Amino acid sequence: MKLLTLNFLTCAVKACKSSSASFPLHPKECELVSDTIAPNPKLIYNILPRVDWNALVVTASELGFPSLPPAAPTQEELEKDENMMSELHTLLLETSVSEGMLVCGNCGHEYRVKEGIANFLLPNHLV
Amino acid sequence: MAAEQDHLAPEKYEEQHVHEVYEQIASHFSSTRYKPWPIVETFLQSLSPGSVGLDVGCGNGKYLTVNRDVFIIGSDRSSNLVKIAAEHEPHSAVVADTLALPHQTGRFDFAISIAVIHHLSTLERRREAIKAILECLKEGGKALIYVWALEQKTSRRGWDEGHEQDVIVPWVMKTGKKNPNEDGSTEKTFQRYYHLYRSGELEEDIVGVGSEVFESGYEKDNWWAICRRPLKP
C-alpha cells in the first residue's frame, strides 16, 4: 500500500466517511518497503495538486519520515530541484506499507495490511 | 433461474454465488482476462495526466495497464485477484466491498466499474453501488459503468429480450489430471450469479440515483454508460 494510495482512502464505515477524524488513517506497527518504479515527472507534477498535502504531512510524520515542507512544491520548483523531485517520487510511489495496521481516528477500527495488500472488508457489526 | 435467491439475504447469496467463486477461480479467470474492451480503453486513454481514479471490482487489474500517466486505486472483494492487480505499477489495489468503499468522497477525477454491478442481486443494491461510486467523484468527474446485456442472441449464451434477467452462469475450470475430483473427473464447475441488464435499464439506474447519463451504448454483449457528478440532492 503506497503512501499515495493512503492519501485517497479513509475508513470504509459509512458513518466515518463524513467525519474529518477518519482521515488520514493512522499507520500502526507498520513495516515499510521500497520498490523501484520508473520515474514519471508528468504524473508527479499533475498529481500533486490532487494530493491532500496536510494529510501527507501527517502520514509521513507518523511513519517517521523527515518533516515535509508545509505546502506542496510547485511544478516550477520541482523542475529546478531534481533532488526534491526524486524524493517525492520515492515517498509517494516507491514507499509502501507491507505489513501492519491502518487505524480509523473516528471509530478506532483497524484495517490489516498483509503482504502489501490492505483489506477494507468490514466485520458484520460494522456494515 | 435463481430460485435459491429468494431464501437468502442478498449479501449472503452474493457471498456464495459471486465472492467465493471468484476467490477460487482467480488465477484461471485472470488468465482469460487480458484484453481490454475498446470503449474502456478509449475512456482511460482520454484522461489527462495525473488524473486520479478508482476501478471498482478491478479483478486482475487488466485496466490498470492501459494508462500509466494516471493513478488508479482499484478495489475488489477477492484478495486473490487483488494480489494480481496490485502488480500493475504505478497503480494500486485494495480489498474492499463495492458497497463499503474506502475511497474518499469527492476526491476522484474518474471511475470505472467494468462487469461488476451485474453481480449484485437486488435493484436496491445495484443502485446503491452506482451511487457509492459516483459519490467518490469530484464535481464534473466521470464514471464509466459496464454491465452484461440481456440482449445478446448472437453470443454462445443466446439470451435475448424477454428472457429471465436473474441467471446463474457456470464457470468450468479444468482441475488438471494431477488434481482430479474425488470421482476422477477433471472439471470443476462454479455457479456465478448475474443480473442481465435489458436495454435502457442501466440508464434508469443511473438517473434513479440522481445522476445523468451523457453517453451510453452497446458493445459486444454489454451495455455501457458514462455518467457524472453532480448528484441531485
Side-chain angles (χ1 to χ4, degrees):
Chain A
M1 163 128 215
K2 296 177 214 299
L3 263 63
L4 184 59
T5 310
L6 257 176
N7 198 260
F8 288 90
L9 299 184
T10 182
C11 185
V13 174
K14 273 200 182 66
C16 291
K17 274 192 121 174
S18 54
S19 154
S20 59
S22 64
F23 180 80
L25 296 169
H26 303 289
K28 184 181 158 190
E29 295 160 20
C30 281
E31 282 171 35
L32 297 176
V33 288
S34 182
D35 302 311
T36 305
I37 293 172
N40 181 353
K42 196 158 69 169
L43 177 62
I44 297 286
Y45 295 149
N46 291 293
I47 218 164
L48 272 186
R50 293 163 163 101
V51 166
D52 183 324
W53 190 261
N54 291 334
L56 182 68
V57 170
V58 171
T59 305
S61 119
E62 289 180 349
L63 287 171
F65 286 95
S67 58
L68 294 173
T74 61
Q75 178 170 342
E76 216 179 10
E77 286 168 332
L78 286 176
E79 278 167 348
K80 275 189 264 169
D81 191 338
E82 255 177 53
N83 249 344
M84 194 195 280
M85 182 67 196
S86 114
E87 278 172 21
L88 261 180
H89 171 75
T90 300
L91 184 73
L92 292 173
L93 290 173
E94 295 188 321
T95 307
S96 59
V97 175
S98 58
E99 296 288 332
M101 250 87 78
L102 301 168
V103 187
C104 171
N106 195 50
C107 71
H109 187 65
E110 298 183 346
Y111 296 96
R112 182 78 200 273
V113 183
K114 217 176 131 187
E115 295 171 44
I117 308 287
N119 189 329
F120 287 92
L121 296 181
L122 297 170
N124 283 337
H125 70 278
L126 290 177
V127 174
Chain B
M1 123 132 237
E4 186 192 347
Q5 208 185 333
D6 304 334
H7 310 296
L8 283 173
E11 57 276 21
K12 289 271 177 262
Y13 181 78
E14 290 158 17
E15 177 73 39
Q16 249 176 51
H17 288 290
V18 181
H19 311 320
E20 282 176 14
V21 176
Y22 279 108
E23 192 67 2
Q24 295 195 57
I25 68 174
S27 64
H28 180 228
F29 172 82
S30 180
S31 67
T32 64
R33 294 291 187 280
Y34 47 86
K35 207 176 164 210
W37 283 328
I39 294 280
V40 189
E41 203 170 6
T42 307
F43 178 82
L44 290 173
Q45 278 164 351
S46 73
L47 301 162
S48 61
S51 296
V52 178
L54 56 160
D55 179 353
V56 177
C58 65
N60 67 355
K62 75 170 170 175
Y63 292 107
L64 302 183
T65 59
V66 174
N67 188 342
R68 295 177 62 97
D69 293 333
V70 300
F71 179 63
I72 302 176
I73 303 178
S75 67
D76 203 280
R77 281 279 319 210
S78 162
S79 54
N80 285 336
L81 285 171
V82 167
K83 274 179 211 158
I84 304 171
E87 287 167 13
H88 300 302
E89 301 294 355
H91 308 288
S92 201
V94 299
V95 177
D97 192 292
T98 301
L99 298 180
L101 293 171
H103 302 72
Q104 260 200 317
T105 302
R107 288 283 306 279
F108 293 82
D109 301 286
F110 69 95
I112 59 172
S113 186
I114 310 303
V116 174
I117 306 289
H118 56 212
H119 282 311
L120 292 159
S121 60
T122 68
L123 171 74
E124 203 178 29
R125 288 165 70 78
R126 289 189 290 273
R127 290 196 175 179
E128 197 185 329
I130 294 172
K131 188 162 179 261
I133 293 166
L134 291 173
E135 279 171 352
C136 296
L137 298 178
K138 294 174 181 170
E139 206 164 308
K142 289 192 292 190
L144 170 61
I145 297 173
Y146 214 101
V147 289
W148 220 6
L150 176 64
E151 298 83 355
Q152 47 169 304
K153 62 178 171 215
T154 59
S155 80
R156 71 184 169 103
R157 315 275 181 196
W159 297 305
D160 201 5
E161 200 183 332
H163 285 208
E164 171 61 45
Q165 286 183 263
D166 294 291
V167 297
I168 285 286
V169 181
W171 177 276
V172 181
M173 189 163 79
K174 300 233 185 315
T175 58
K177 293 204 173 97
K178 283 182 187 160
N179 304 298
N181 294 322
E182 280 172 12
D183 63 1
S185 59
T186 54
E187 277 185 357
K188 202 167 176 198
T189 303
F190 296 90
Q191 307 290 352
R192 284 176 303 168
Y193 166 84
Y194 281 89
H195 174 79
L196 303 170
Y197 271 74
R198 57 174 166 71
S199 172
E201 188 178 359
L202 179 59
E203 289 88 337
E204 284 165 27
D205 281 358
I206 290 166
V207 172
V209 300
S211 174
E212 58 184 315
V213 176
F214 63 113
E215 231 186 308
S216 61
Y218 183 86
E219 183 183 57
K220 207 180 177 314
D221 308 334
N222 289 275
W223 294 110
W224 60 271
I226 298 176
C227 49
R228 64 175 151 194
R229 291 270 277 183
L231 299 166
K232 289 179 205 116

